[in-house]
Amino acid sequence: MNECLYCKGHLEARLVSRVQAYHGRWYLIEHVPALVCSQCGETFYTPQAHDLVLSLVREAAAPVRIDPLTVLDAS
Ligand SMILES: [Zn+2]
């Protein structure tokens, strides 16, 4: 895949940060390989990158650090 599904822009391989919910908690996973559209900014993950993220949260990988999360309400 090298073309954006939404705008047909060019996709670039990048390392991104991704948030993932798992069992009611949120995890921030840094340096996840992804394809990012240079035109609209949409981020796509390969099935392998998706599996990598899920295996990290499932295995409760050792945290690099623990950051407090700021929660906002838009209602
Ligand atoms: Zn795009």
Side-chain angles (χ1 to χ4, degrees):
M1 180 165 83
N2 51 22
E3 196 176 73
C4 178
L5 294 176
Y6 300 105
C7 76
K8 310 283 184 205
H10 177 68
L11 296 180
E12 296 174 348
R14 283 206 215 148
L15 297 177
V16 303
S17 296
R18 167 167 166 170
V19 285
Q20 178 70 47
Y22 184 69
H23 283 191
R25 296 191 61 183
W26 285 97
Y27 296 84
L28 173 68
I29 302 99
E30 296 180 319
H31 308 122
V32 179
L35 295 169
V36 181
C37 176
S38 58
Q39 197 161 278
C40 75
E42 189 66 35
T43 302
F44 300 90
Y45 298 96
T46 62
Q48 293 86 341
H50 185 72
D51 289 348
L52 171 64
V53 165
L54 287 183
S55 69
L56 284 168
V57 294
R58 280 198 194 113
E59 292 162 13
V64 179
R65 63 181 188 279
I66 295 182
D67 270 350
L69 178 67
T70 301
V71 180
L72 305 176
D73 187 346
S75 66

